[in-house]
Amino acid sequence: MSEILSSLRSLMASHSPPLDALVVPSEDYHQSEYVSARDKRREFVSGFTGSAGLALITKNEARLWTDGRYFLQATQQLSNEWTLMRMGEDPLVEAWMSDNLSEEANIGVDPWCVSVDTANRWNKSFAKKNQKLIPTTTDLVDEVWQNRPPSQTSPLAVHPLEFAGRSVPDKLEELRSKLKQESARGYVIAALDEVAWLYNIRGTDVAYCPVAHAFAIVTTDSAFLYVDKKKVSDEVSEYFKGLGVEVREYTDVISDVALLASDRLFSSFSSKSTNDMEIDSDWLWVDPAKCCYALYSKLDADKVLLQPSPLSLPKALKNPVELDGLKKAHVRDGAAVVQYLVWLDQQMQELYGASGYFLEAESNKKKPTSETAKLTELTVSDKLESLRAAKEHFRGLSFPTISSVGSNAAIIHYSPEPGACAEMDPDQIYLCDSGAQYLDGTTDITRTVHFGKPSAHEKDCYTAVFKGHVALGNARFPKGTSGYTLDILARAPLWKYGLDYRHGTGHGVGSYLFSCCWDDYAGPHQVSFRPHARNVPLQASMTVTDEPGYYEDGNFGIRLENVLVVNDAETEFNFGDKGYLQFEHITWAPYQVKLINLEQLTQEEIDWLNTYHLKCKDILAPFMNQTEMEWLMKATEPVSVLV
């Protein structure tokens, strides 16, 4: 790291003008939180592998900002050359730069890797000391990154209508209608999932996310896709011709945005039949959170409509085909998770002398007879992936599996690495947060288990997490309610003990797209304590996760997660004629009863657990062999509290 920092500081000094500081964001040209290997610039300079964060390099210091998901991980990964800045506890990066850098300091950043919102916020903060944000013409990190991974050239694939549920012409018509409503003549699309959703295409440029690096521009009478043409087969080319979408090179987007600004961007497919949509306007629509500053700088700022994307909400509102596919995908995925738990339970008993999933006793300290028989966090997660891979429509994982034992489970976004991960331990908690990409849906599930004798404290914590999980999932609430309002339901049982967790409680889940993150501002909807969760109320046909947790540094971590669908609710009354909503669970895998203090549950919570387990057994039964079915029946037996 010392050589990297030294090389960057040399480039900063020789830059014109010389730079007093260099910002290295986590994001790529599309403001993605999860990026391809060649775009992990912040990871390269800092050694911190978390998905979110920002590095700041000055002449004498190196600081890294990240959120609560990664405090423990960053502490472990950063060298002594770096200072960790805890978001929510330490000053914001722009405040720190404004206060600690000199008058008229020059602060460099790659304008492709910073959003319009962020750049504008920084410029405002820097103004009081006449500091300047300097967009670099090249990314300085790329200049010192030897052996940088190559670009991906995997082919684009058309996402069939049988899975997408809505045609591209239908989506374009809706988008153009919104342009007309806002008196805008065009929209610049930078977010990878929005390009994929709008044009019903998928790719493999970003690990775990079925998207391709691409931009799009849609006007009242034309549509463009900007992508490396080596990824476009003859078949896909014909698909776009049939849609009237002009495909241009990825690098052409910067010049075409400039043409768009001067109303000189024309397509060979422009349809005269859309003339009734044409409007006399100079306004262009840009989502300031998703569009990079490099593209925005080519527009006339006085003629830009800075508003949230007109595609975010339609993408979040799943159509009937998508909902049906998501439910089917979660059934198959739940079957894989149960098959995994059956296998793991057997292995832990045979190899480690564990009392197992159902019994509560200390292990007999048995050890595997050979290194090859040893189970690690990584080898068991590989087994889970193989079980998913055998399921219909499987296309890969939706994020790196968080397979974590004991103290590693306290690292919220822990990822086991070959040669550095822990061996399975029957006397410690095991947390597994995992998901998959299927052609008909994206999944995300977390279960926490113990194959030995959990402590009373671990059971109390698990029970509090479970109670919060049930409280959120059972909520009924008036239309117009945001996830910010509901977040307290999941935390209240933990607050009773003075406990909490540092991440949001729920995020959206795509339809063979992203499994969005708790603290991803793109949302658009979330269940979270963070203020941006107020922005978009929950609506029927949205999906959202329900995943409270508790993490005790150095000891253990607990999280439970199901995917929910928001549905209309039938209520006895309808105060204010608002209408009411409720959640439907579509994730299916049992909760470990031996980790629950049943006497701490209300009768309503016990009834919910029994009902959920009964559904679990019935829904997953067709996928189970005899051994698996016997295990599942035992795992879902009704429970009660003796009075």
Side-chain angles (χ1 to χ4, degrees):
M1 291 304 165
S2 295
E3 289 183 9
I4 295 170
L5 291 176
S6 177
S7 297
L8 284 172
R9 285 175 176 136
S10 294
L11 289 175
M12 289 161 58
S14 61
H15 189 273
S16 179
L19 301 177
D20 298 281
L22 177 69
V23 178
V24 184
S26 298
E27 291 79 13
D28 59 11
Y29 291 6
H30 306 270
Q31 304 311 298
S32 313
E33 178 171 348
Y34 294 95
V35 301
S36 66
R38 71 182 274 103
D39 290 321
K40 294 182 178 181
R41 297 177 179 89
R42 189 228 58 230
E43 178 180 324
F44 170 73
V45 302
S46 68
F48 167 62
T49 62
S51 67
L54 178 147
L56 176 68
I57 300 163
T58 70
K59 295 175 181 178
N60 303 305
E61 293 187 81
R63 293 175 179 262
L64 181 126
W65 277 257
T66 192
D67 62 57
R69 293 172 292 167
Y70 295 114
F71 289 171
L72 182 56
Q73 180 178 334
T75 301
Q76 296 175 351
Q77 292 183 332
L78 292 175
S79 71
N80 56 14
E81 296 171 292
W82 287 85
T83 300
L84 173 61
M85 303 295 285
R86 293 171 169 83
M87 293 169 66
E89 298 178 12
D90 293 320
L92 296 172
V93 63
E94 61 265 30
W96 190 94
M97 288 190 286
S98 178
D99 292 342
N100 291 276
L101 297 178
S102 62
E103 293 267 354
E104 300 184 348
N106 292 319
I107 300 147
V109 69
D110 182 345
W112 287 92
C113 297
V114 64
S115 72
V116 179
D117 256 352
T118 300
N120 286 345
R121 190 175 70 249
W122 289 354
N123 278 323
K124 183 178 179 181
S125 181
F126 297 162
K128 54 189 172 185
K129 287 175 65 175
N130 292 318
Q131 297 165 329
K132 293 181 181 177
L133 183 65
I134 305 296
T136 59
T137 54
T138 61
D139 195 301
L140 301 191
V141 175
D142 295 350
E143 294 188 36
V144 304
W145 193 350
Q146 314 246 341
N147 303 316
R148 185 181 173 211
S151 299
Q152 294 291 320
T153 55
S154 303
L156 282 180
V158 175
H159 191 47
L161 191 59
E162 65 179 290
F163 299 118
R166 285 187 68 188
S167 69
V168 175
D170 181 41
K171 295 176 183 180
L172 286 171
E173 182 180 5
E174 181 184 29
L175 174 55
R176 287 175 173 138
S177 177
K178 291 182 178 180
L179 291 176
K180 185 176 181 181
Q181 289 172 19
E182 298 294 335
S183 297
R185 59 183 175 84
Y187 175 52
V188 179
I189 309 169
L192 299 181
D193 59 333
E194 291 190 354
V195 175
W197 178 84
L198 177 65
Y199 289 147
N200 285 346
I201 53 172
R202 299 294 187 266
T204 57
D205 288 355
V206 180
Y208 311 104
C209 304
V211 295
H213 286 132
F215 293 96
I217 294 175
V218 174
T219 71
T220 53
D221 69 346
S222 59
F224 301 85
L225 173 70
Y226 299 88
V227 67
D228 183 345
K229 285 190 175 182
K230 292 194 291 289
K231 301 174 184 177
V232 182
S233 66
D234 291 343
E235 181 183 356
V236 173
S237 180
E238 287 301 313
Y239 165 78
F240 281 113
K241 285 180 182 177
L243 294 172
V245 175
E246 184 154 326
V247 179
R248 296 188 174 180
E249 283 292 349
Y250 182 79
T251 52
D252 288 344
V253 68
I254 189 78
S255 57
D256 276 12
V257 166
L259 290 172
L260 178 68
S262 59
D263 202 14
R264 292 183 294 119
L265 179 63
F266 304 108
S267 167
S268 57
F269 295 115
S270 292
S271 171
K272 301 305 179 185
S273 64
T274 59
N275 280 345
D276 61 324
M277 294 291 292
E278 291 181 7
I279 55 175
D280 183 16
S281 171
D282 289 330
W283 289 97
L284 295 169
W285 193 333
V286 164
D287 185 330
K290 298 180 180 181
C291 182
C292 64
Y293 196 65
L295 293 181
Y296 173 73
S297 66
K298 296 297 180 181
L299 302 172
D300 182 345
D302 293 330
K303 297 178 181 178
V304 175
L305 187 66
L306 290 176
Q307 287 190 167
S309 167
L311 298 178
S312 288
L313 187 57
K315 179 169 59 68
L317 296 172
K318 303 297 186 286
N319 63 58
V321 171
E322 289 175 317
L323 285 174
D324 182 62
L326 277 163
K327 291 176 182 180
K328 289 176 178 175
H330 278 82
V331 170
R332 299 192 302 274
D333 198 68
V337 170
V338 169
Q339 289 163 345
Y340 171 63
L341 289 173
V342 174
W343 172 84
L344 187 56
D345 185 18
Q346 181 183 33
Q347 294 294 303
M348 293 301 291
Q349 292 182 59
E350 291 180 0
L351 297 176
Y352 293 90
S355 58
Y357 185 92
F358 300 106
L359 300 179
E360 204 170 330
E362 299 280 356
S363 71
N364 64 16
K365 309 301 181 185
K366 182 180 178 182
K367 288 289 185 180
T369 55
S370 68
E371 281 294 310
T372 55
K374 184 188 297 184
L375 297 180
T376 69
E377 295 164 324
L378 193 59
T379 58
V380 297
S381 70
D382 288 344
K383 175 65 175 182
L384 175 55
E385 182 175 359
S386 72
L387 291 167
R388 282 188 162 114
K391 300 294 183 269
E392 185 181 19
H393 300 319
F394 177 82
R395 288 297 179 269
L397 301 182
S398 54
F399 55 91
T401 298
I402 301 171
S403 175
S404 50
V405 174
S407 60
N408 287 340
I411 303 172
I412 296 171
H413 269 198
Y414 173 78
S415 182
E417 299 291 338
C421 60
E423 185 176 3
M424 296 296 289
D425 187 334
D427 296 317
Q428 295 193 69
I429 271 180
Y430 173 64
L431 184 157
C432 185
D433 185 344
S434 63
Q437 297 285 6
Y438 301 92
L439 280 174
D440 51 353
T442 302
T443 67
D444 189 355
I445 176 176
T446 308
R447 289 296 183 265
T448 302
V449 297
H450 199 301
F451 293 102
K453 184 176 182 180
S455 70
H457 178 56
E458 288 170 334
K459 292 176 70 171
D460 283 343
C461 293
Y462 183 99
T463 304
V465 171
F466 176 77
K467 286 170 74 72
H469 175 75
V470 173
L472 177 59
N474 282 352
R476 284 189 176 186
F477 47 95
K479 291 181 178 180
T481 302
S482 71
Y484 182 86
T485 303
L486 298 179
D487 183 75
I488 189 175
L489 296 175
R491 296 178 193 273
L494 286 160
W495 287 356
K496 181 179 177 182
Y497 296 99
L499 304 177
D500 205 347
Y501 49 97
R502 288 192 174 102
H503 58 73
T505 303
H507 58 77
V509 176
S511 179
Y512 186 37
L513 267 176
F514 289 176
S515 177
C516 304
C517 183
W518 297 301
D519 299 292
D520 177 3
Y521 285 69
H525 60 287
Q526 295 181 324
V527 178
S528 177
F529 61 97
R530 302 190 190 279
H532 60 265
R534 297 188 185 110
N535 296 344
V536 178
L538 297 175
Q539 298 181 40
S541 80
M542 283 180 169
T543 57
V544 68
T545 60
D546 172 4
E547 48 181 317
Y550 173 67
Y551 313 90
E552 201 162 282
D553 291 357
N555 292 320
F556 63 86
I558 294 165
R559 186 161 63 250
L560 297 171
E561 176 186 18
N562 282 2
V563 173
L564 312 174
V565 173
V566 184
N567 291 330
D568 288 311
E570 298 244 342
T571 55
E572 184 177 356
F573 303 103
N574 184 18
F575 182 80
D577 292 324
K578 288 183 175 182
Y580 281 73
L581 299 170
Q582 62 187 7
F583 293 118
E584 173 190 357
H585 288 258
I586 63 171
T587 299
W588 303 106
Y591 303 94
Q592 191 176 28
V593 171
K594 84 173 185 183
L595 271 170
I596 302 174
N597 279 322
L598 294 175
E599 64 275 9
Q600 294 179 14
L601 301 188
T602 65
Q603 188 59 50
E604 182 182 0
E605 289 165 341
I606 289 174
D607 291 344
W608 181 89
L609 176 62
N610 287 334
T611 300
Y612 176 85
H613 274 172
L614 178 62
K615 289 180 180 178
C616 230
K617 180 184 67 174
D618 292 344
I619 288 170
L620 299 181
F623 297 87
M624 303 290 113
N625 63 28
Q626 183 177 346
T627 300
E628 293 161 350
M629 193 63 215
E630 289 173 358
W631 187 98
L632 180 59
M633 289 179 68
K634 191 170 183 179
T636 57
E637 286 177 350
V639 298
S640 60
V641 178
L642 297 176
V643 180

